[in-house]
Amino acid sequence: MAIPFSYSFRNLWTRRLTTILTASGMALVVFVFAAVLMFADGFQKTLVDTGSYDNVIVSRKGSGAEMQSYVLYSDASLIESYPEIAVGVNGTKLLTKESVVLINLLKKDSKKSSNIIIRGITENSLALRPQLTIVAGRMARPGTNEVIVGNGIANQFQNCEINNVLHFAVRDWVVVGIFDAGNTGFSSEIWGDVHQVMPAFRRMVYSSLTFRLQDAGTFVALKARIESDPRLTLEAKREVKYYQEQSEDMAKFVRILGMTITIIFSLGAIIGAMITMYAAVANRTNEIGTLRAIGFRRRNILAAFLMESLLLGFVGGCIGLIFASFMQNLTVSTFMSFQSFSTLAFKFQLSAKIVLESLIFSSLMGLVGGFLPAIRASRMNIVDALRAI
Amino acid sequence: MMNDPIVEIRNIKKSYQRGSYVIPVLQDINLDIKNGEFMALMGPSGSGKSTLLNLIAGIDKADSGTIRIEDTEITTMSETELALWRASHVGFIFQFYNLIPVLTAYENVELPLHVTSLPRRAWRTHVEMALRIVNLTHRADHYPNQLSGGEQQRVAIARALVTDPTILVADEPTGDLDRTSAEEILDLLERLNAESKMTIIMVTHDPRAAGKAHIISHLDKGILYNADTQAAP
Ligand SMILES: Nc1ncnc2c1ncn2[C@@H]1O[C@H](COP(=O)(O)OP(=O)(O)OP(=O)(O)O)[C@@H](O)[C@H]1O
Ligand SMILES: [Mg+2]
């Protein structure tokens, strides 16, 4: 009942130069579209991967970022006594009381500075983050001014290599190791003994507690217990969820900004498609008359031209995605959140979902651009169309 | 049955509005065309030949009057009904062939079948049969721009035949062809009429083309003059 698909396809192929040029305009938009999503996804995935499912993080109620949270010594001791917490190989509770502070470090190349998180850690910090390994040098010894640096920032900032001395909080700190925490936020941090870091920064409170549950199923009850205890103004979250929430504001900001830009750009691409399709309709006026005479209906003509412009958009989407795929696994650094502006290194992630969304988006651009020309084609009077040569 | 009119035109009027004034094109046309007839329509340029042919073929609307084809009144049909009716009842042949450039000869011939209710499995035999009639089976996979004008017109004739239509309408089918190719096309039309009893209505300027028809009608300034019957075949 319909005009065959090959009709639409081959018409695009016949004028391939115009098709490629028009599709390239759309490809550019799709590239930006996909890149923004890849950025937001990569960013988010990095933060989410920072957490482990059976780890629980306890922070100040409503504190948002870890940077704004504080946990009193007394509260920390109370929580440490909970029996649900797993026991580590060294016989102590698998719990760490950590303190995070921001320092400003100079970048190697640009000489600009950026905020970096210093995390005061305890002996169990490593055991709680199995994704973290020392890749060069060694672990910092407790009770010393030794620090280890995440490989996400080690080669970007000055004095971050092994045996370099960092100067902050009116002290010198010796870099003794580089650690790799995979694709997580930890890779963009510097770690040192919490009992050195806290006095150096004159902090009297921890930022957060992280512990492993013996049984992940006890989380809900434990959370209720912590949050309903009138002595505590703390909240407990699964680590995964905690970091996901950390990433949401920034990812949302990037997405909204990106989408706004893409939508504005897409108007240009849509107009491009519209011009191409108007030209196609004008060139094929006689052909449209012939198809109608043969018995095809207005809606068949409409569908054939819409199909053609949709296909045009689809081609643009494919080209755009090819370029976007070159950015896959490209590592970039940006600030992590508006609360801390600390640096986070992460990779662009091209997921099946982004591929699908990009193709739908570009096909839609084609469809919208082709809509008016297709309407014009379908509105033609048969005899007038046949008279056109 | 054979001598019943297959096309019955009564009191057809048609005019075009150009700006503020009206151009009368056809004035009170009456015409009967018998089943199996081969009729030529002649007349000076602008006399309304194409307009009349378009009305018979159901791609244009008259201002008043009726056209019945095979006892179906097409003048009262809706646009959608007309499209369906054309698909199975009218074969079109145009001066400039009007093949779809991106489709092969085979696909061009197959195109009208998309609109008919013929089951898809029967399409191949129909297309092959039509191509055999115009003797172009060996060029089935060629695109229009790989064919000569005469060959393109033969493909167009195959496309017009494939649905086994009630009437063939041809608007100057040889107007764009050299003499040999024109001769070939006319012989083909003549053969279709003689062997398959196909009713053909052909607009032409060319007296030689008209000579192949049984009946020649003349249009002048929108008035149809009595058909001259040629020597019976
Ligand atoms: N869409 C239209 N708008 C206005 N006038 C039209 C239109 N179509 C046809 N006409 C006029 O109607 C008259 C008849 O046109 P038609 O095409 O039927 O002539 P014809 O006999 O086929 O001529 P030719 O031999 O040149 O093809 C002409 O004067 C033409 O200008
Ligand atoms: Mg004409």
Side-chain angles (χ1 to χ4, degrees):
Chain A
M1 219 23 222
I3 296 171
F5 173 76
S6 53
Y7 172 78
S8 304
F9 176 76
R10 288 194 212 152
N11 271 303
L12 284 178
W13 179 248
T14 303
R15 52 183 159 91
R16 9 188 200 288
L17 184 64
T18 321
T19 300
I20 292 294
L21 288 177
T22 313
S24 298
M26 294 170 137
L28 216 64
V29 180
V30 170
F31 173 77
V32 175
F33 178 85
V36 165
L37 293 181
M38 284 164 79
F39 181 100
D41 271 24
F43 177 83
Q44 209 152 23
K45 183 165 187 300
T46 296
L47 276 173
V48 172
D49 286 354
T50 304
S52 312
Y53 185 72
D54 31 341
N55 282 359
V56 176
I57 185 161
V58 174
S59 59
R60 198 88 203 153
K61 225 170 234 174
S63 56
E66 197 177 7
M67 207 60 55
Q68 272 108 49
S69 164
Y70 65 92
V71 180
L72 301 175
Y73 287 131
S74 55
D75 295 350
S77 305
L78 180 67
I79 288 175
E80 197 168 10
S81 69
Y82 286 167
E84 290 92 338
I85 300 172
V87 176
V89 278
N90 57 5
T92 64
K93 287 269 172 72
L94 207 40
L95 174 140
T96 179
K97 301 171 262 191
E98 296 178 346
S99 177
V100 294
V101 282
L102 282 177
I103 60 158
N104 213 259
L105 282 187
L106 285 177
K107 286 199 172 176
K108 268 185 183 165
D109 43 4
S110 62
K111 313 282 181 234
K112 280 191 209 141
S113 67
S114 205
N115 284 346
I116 295 296
I117 289 179
I118 305 289
R119 183 177 294 273
I121 57 156
T122 64
E123 274 168 57
N124 280 330
S125 292
L126 273 182
L128 282 160
R129 280 80 179 222
Q131 72 271 49
L132 190 146
T133 50
I134 305 284
V135 288
R138 56 175 175 80
M139 180 62 190
R141 280 172 304 167
T144 67
N145 62 343
E146 292 173 356
V147 293
I148 52 174
V149 179
N151 62 348
I153 52 169
N155 45 22
Q156 284 188 51
F157 288 86
Q158 293 181 20
N159 298 328
C160 280
E161 273 154 50
I162 292 184
N163 292 332
N164 284 0
V165 175
L166 283 164
H167 193 78
F168 58 82
V170 215
R171 288 202 201 178
D172 290 334
W173 307 80
V174 186
V175 179
V176 296
I178 306 289
F179 65 90
D180 178 359
N183 194 19
T184 71
F186 296 130
S187 294
S188 304
E189 295 181 351
I190 294 174
W191 287 14
D193 185 354
V194 71
H195 302 300
Q196 304 300 315
V197 171
M198 279 175 61
F201 285 93
R202 295 173 200 288
R203 304 245 323 187
M204 306 304 288
V205 286
Y206 298 115
S207 299
S208 66
L209 307 183
T210 304
F211 57 82
R212 171 93 33 92
L213 287 170
Q214 279 184 46
D215 171 4
T218 58
F219 172 74
V220 178
L222 188 76
K223 177 182 168 71
R225 179 132 58 93
I226 291 173
E227 291 177 5
S228 63
D229 190 326
R231 290 166 295 176
L232 306 173
T233 35
L234 300 176
E235 58 187 4
K237 282 180 181 152
R238 287 197 194 275
E239 213 182 16
V240 204
K241 175 134 187 287
Y242 180 81
Y243 283 106
Q244 189 186 339
E245 285 177 7
Q246 300 265 295
S247 69
E248 255 155 27
D249 283 351
M250 179 69 177
K252 201 193 250 168
F253 171 76
V254 169
R255 284 202 182 98
I256 291 176
L257 183 72
M259 289 309 115
T260 313
I261 294 170
T262 339
I263 285 168
I264 294 169
F265 277 7
S266 73
L267 289 180
I270 287 172
I271 290 169
M274 199 182 289
I275 293 169
T276 308
M277 290 310 295
Y278 265 130
V281 170
N283 282 334
R284 306 217 298 271
T285 302
N286 190 270
E287 198 170 303
I288 293 164
T290 309
L291 289 167
R292 292 283 308 284
I294 283 174
F296 287 104
R297 295 199 246 156
R298 290 183 193 276
R299 69 166 87 132
N300 300 133
I301 304 288
L302 185 79
F305 277 91
L306 282 181
M307 175 56 77
E308 196 169 316
S309 60
L310 185 137
L311 223 52
L312 181 64
F314 186 82
V315 171
C318 292
I319 300 174
L321 280 174
I322 289 171
F323 285 110
S325 72
F326 293 143
M327 307 223 312
Q328 168 83 316
N329 290 331
L330 176 76
T331 304
V332 288
S333 295
T334 180
F335 57 88
M336 176 168 112
S337 69
F338 295 111
Q339 286 98 345
S340 70
F341 287 94
S342 58
T343 299
L344 179 76
F346 64 93
K347 291 182 171 125
F348 280 76
Q349 298 274 337
L350 183 59
S351 64
K353 185 165 166 276
I354 295 177
V355 170
L356 191 72
E357 283 171 353
S358 301
L359 290 178
I360 291 175
F361 173 64
S362 61
S363 304
L364 262 172
M365 276 196 289
L367 208 59
V368 171
F371 185 70
L372 290 179
I375 291 277
R376 172 181 285 186
S378 72
R379 287 240 175 112
M380 281 178 185
N381 170 281
I382 305 178
V383 176
D384 292 342
L386 282 172
R387 281 172 162 269
I389 292 294
Chain B
M1 188 67 188
M2 186 64 195
N3 284 324
D4 281 353
I6 200 162
V7 179
E8 218 182 279
I9 301 174
R10 293 289 174 267
N11 309 107
I12 282 292
K13 288 202 176 87
K14 172 81 182 172
S15 55
Y16 283 110
Q17 186 98 31
R18 195 172 280 162
S20 57
Y21 59 101
V22 174
I23 310 161
V25 180
L26 297 174
Q27 310 176 24
D28 202 28
I29 302 284
N30 286 284
L31 175 67
D32 281 353
I33 301 169
K34 290 197 204 69
N35 196 1
E37 195 64 87
F38 186 175
M39 188 190 109
L41 194 54
M42 298 193 74
S45 197
S47 57
K49 304 182 295 296
S50 297
T51 305
L52 180 57
L53 197 71
N54 291 341
L55 289 171
I56 297 171
I59 56 173
D60 203 355
K61 282 272 179 198
D63 298 339
S64 65
T66 57
I67 299 174
R68 298 171 72 84
I69 293 179
E70 248 193 343
D71 295 324
T72 314
E73 184 165 340
I74 63 163
T75 26
T76 55
M77 281 186 182
S78 74
E79 189 181 89
T80 311
E81 289 170 329
L82 261 180
L84 273 174
W85 174 82
R86 281 198 304 274
S88 51
H89 291 86
V90 186
F92 286 90
I93 303 166
F94 304 95
Q95 178 173 1
F96 301 105
Y97 335 123
N98 292 21
L99 296 177
I100 309 299
V102 298
L103 301 181
T104 62
Y106 185 96
E107 291 163 334
N108 265 288
V109 175
E110 189 185 52
L111 200 56
L113 296 179
H114 287 271
V115 199
T116 62
S117 54
L118 190 73
R120 203 170 256 269
R121 68 194 128 76
W123 287 10
R124 177 161 281 275
T125 40
H126 275 69
V127 175
E128 280 169 358
M129 169 90 82
L131 281 171
R132 201 167 320 123
I133 291 172
V134 300
N135 200 16
L136 275 177
T137 313
H138 58 296
R139 309 299 295 272
D141 293 331
H142 289 205
Y143 285 89
N145 63 7
Q146 298 169 317
L147 302 171
S148 74
E151 286 163 342
Q152 288 188 56
Q153 192 62 300
R154 275 149 66 198
V155 174
I157 292 173
R159 177 178 69 183
L161 292 175
V162 76
T163 55
D164 193 18
T166 311
I167 54 172
L168 269 191
V169 298
D171 198 342
E172 303 190 27
T174 57
D176 194 47
L177 294 175
D178 62 77
R179 210 165 140 176
T180 340
S181 307
E183 202 65 43
E184 245 174 52
I185 295 300
L186 290 168
D187 287 345
L188 181 57
L189 290 178
E190 203 175 18
R191 217 180 68 222
L192 284 171
N193 174 255
E195 291 170 11
S196 317
K197 303 284 170 272
M198 183 63 75
T199 309
I200 302 174
I201 307 157
M202 173 177 75
V203 166
T204 185
H205 274 125
D206 178 4
R208 217 180 357 251
K212 302 276 184 183
H214 309 157
I215 289 182
I216 304 176
S217 289
H218 289 271
L219 251 182
D220 199 1
K221 299 200 180 76
I223 297 169
L224 189 69
Y225 293 93
N226 270 345
D228 329 327
T229 310
Q230 310 240 314

